Amino acid sequence: MPYVNRCVVVVRPGQRFVDWVHALDEEDGVEPAEASAIRGETIAYLAPEVETPGDVERFLKKQARRMFEDLLEGWCVDREQWPKQRGIKSFEKWVEWELHDYVVDLDGAPLVSDSSTDQPGVVDEPFDFHAALHDPDGYISDTWGPIWVAHLYEQFASSKEAEGLRYVVGWTEVLFHYLHGYEGITVHDLTPELLEYALLVHFPRKITDPSFDAEAVLAEFVALFEFMKRAYNLKNASACLALLRRRGMADEMDEAMNSADNFGMAKRMMAGLEPFGGGAFGGIQHPFVSKEPEVGRNDACPCGSGKKYKRCCLK
């Protein structure tokens, strides 16, 4: 019998995950998906062989974040709607998993990896803080960018800087989403001016967070930049820290986050406001044009919900 030197870890949404999907559906006015259908969306991972409970614990601590985010992305591609904390503790609360340590190959054909969708083993490679993340076309790689961020946060989470935080709110990760997705740069090229724009313009336009606490957000940013300065000698860390510690910065963020004039169109709609009723768009009227979206099942839904097309308007 052809035994395979791997184990299989199967993950599926737990009750808290189901509740999160239902909340997304209700927010969009969509009939909530059946809980059984949500729980049925499992993912199986080939993993190294494990021999002791300690091996299992180490594997989960290392890979929990990736597995949790894979499940989240299966339902919603808008990372800003994901839970802010996605480490091992959140994984254990949101996700159910089981491990099978006896794997038999009934096919015998060579295992083939589709590199366009996954890079098995990449997460196990040594972390290079100064690695080039751009693809040949000059864009941040959709594969290497998230893996680099995951590596960085794995180290940051266990750093002395993170230990000094009252709690982690998760906003620093949104900064990398902004830098990689909107600016096309890495943190090495971040300037204080871009950081200020992210905190006082981009975040207020894009993020809705009723529990927003500017002081906690700034404390997390300070801890992250202190960590990158100490551990990797990030050249622009001191300049960014000076901005983050600027007198009155928390008040500026509070004012920007709560001013409807700063909200983007989607955020205005979520707040029950006219989409073009404030700021630079005041008074502008645009005709509504209906067009059948040319979009794949797994693409982001063109309605702007943040969910995949197959989970949203395709239904």
Side-chain angles (χ1 to χ4, degrees):
M1 188 174 292
Y3 168 77
V4 180
N5 63 334
R6 292 288 189 274
C7 67
V8 171
V9 178
V10 179
V11 298
R12 63 174 56 84
Q15 186 57 51
R16 186 170 293 191
F17 193 104
V18 172
D19 294 340
W20 171 74
V21 174
H22 284 170
L24 288 178
D25 288 343
E26 291 169 356
E27 184 177 297
D28 295 330
V30 178
E31 184 70 23
E34 292 290 338
S36 59
I38 300 172
R39 289 179 177 274
E41 293 284 342
T42 62
I43 301 178
Y45 296 90
L46 283 177
E49 288 182 294
V50 294
E51 297 180 358
T52 69
D55 293 337
V56 178
E57 183 179 0
R58 282 189 290 273
F59 171 79
L60 288 177
K61 283 185 176 180
K62 188 171 185 179
Q63 303 291 0
R65 185 185 193 88
R66 179 184 181 182
M67 294 189 291
F68 190 12
E69 292 186 347
D70 285 347
L71 278 179
L72 291 167
E73 190 171 27
W75 286 91
C76 178
V77 295
D78 183 359
R79 297 174 69 91
E80 293 177 5
Q81 296 194 51
W82 291 3
K84 297 295 186 293
Q85 298 185 30
R86 303 191 289 276
I88 180 64
K89 292 183 179 179
S90 296
F91 174 86
E92 291 172 341
K93 294 176 181 178
W94 285 63
V95 176
E96 297 174 358
W97 63 275
E98 56 189 41
L99 183 143
H100 304 271
D101 59 1
Y102 192 81
V103 182
V104 176
D105 184 0
L106 295 180
D107 187 336
L111 292 174
V112 177
S113 169
D114 179 1
S115 60
S116 66
T117 58
D118 197 14
Q119 290 274 2
V122 167
V123 181
D124 293 329
E125 294 188 2
F127 175 51
D128 180 2
F129 181 75
H130 300 283
L133 301 182
H134 291 82
D135 61 24
D137 295 322
Y139 298 100
I140 299 291
S141 168
D142 289 338
T143 298
W144 289 105
I147 290 173
W148 184 92
V149 172
H151 269 301
L152 177 68
Y153 273 88
E154 183 177 327
Q155 296 191 6
F156 174 53
S158 60
S159 70
K160 63 181 182 181
E161 289 83 3
E163 289 177 0
L165 295 172
R166 285 184 298 145
Y167 54 90
V168 177
V169 293
W171 277 53
T172 47
E173 285 191 80
V174 185
L175 174 67
F176 290 100
H177 177 67
Y178 162 70
L179 293 178
H180 292 182
Y182 287 82
E183 298 294 340
I185 64 173
T186 66
V187 71
H188 304 87
D189 300 312
L190 176 64
T191 63
E193 291 75 21
L194 268 179
L195 178 58
E196 183 176 24
Y197 180 86
L199 297 177
L200 301 181
V201 179
H202 181 79
F203 288 5
R205 285 184 59 81
K206 297 290 186 179
I207 300 177
T208 300
D209 185 355
S211 62
F212 174 72
D213 180 344
E215 291 187 356
V217 170
L218 286 175
E220 184 178 311
F221 271 92
V222 167
L224 175 65
F225 277 89
E226 286 284 12
F227 164 71
M228 292 189 292
K229 178 182 178 181
R230 174 184 62 81
Y232 296 108
N233 195 28
L234 180 66
K235 64 180 180 180
N236 48 4
S238 295
C240 291
L241 284 166
L243 169 72
L244 295 169
R245 290 174 170 142
R246 185 172 74 191
R247 178 174 295 183
M249 189 62 177
D251 292 335
E252 292 180 55
M253 285 192 69
D254 270 324
E255 181 178 354
M257 284 295 297
N258 291 289
S259 173
D261 287 342
N262 296 331
F263 294 178
M265 182 175 69
K267 186 172 176 179
R268 292 186 65 84
M269 294 177 68
M270 291 178 66
L273 302 172
E274 289 294 328
F276 302 106
F281 296 103
I284 298 178
Q285 298 294 324
H286 293 274
F288 176 78
V289 179
S290 177
K291 182 180 179 181
E292 185 68 22
E294 297 177 0
V295 59
R297 288 172 53 83
N298 288 307
D299 293 338
C301 188
C303 77
S305 67
K307 293 189 290 185
K308 290 194 173 184
Y309 183 44
K310 67 182 180 181
R311 308 291 188 197
C312 194
C313 292
L314 180 63
K315 297 187 291 185

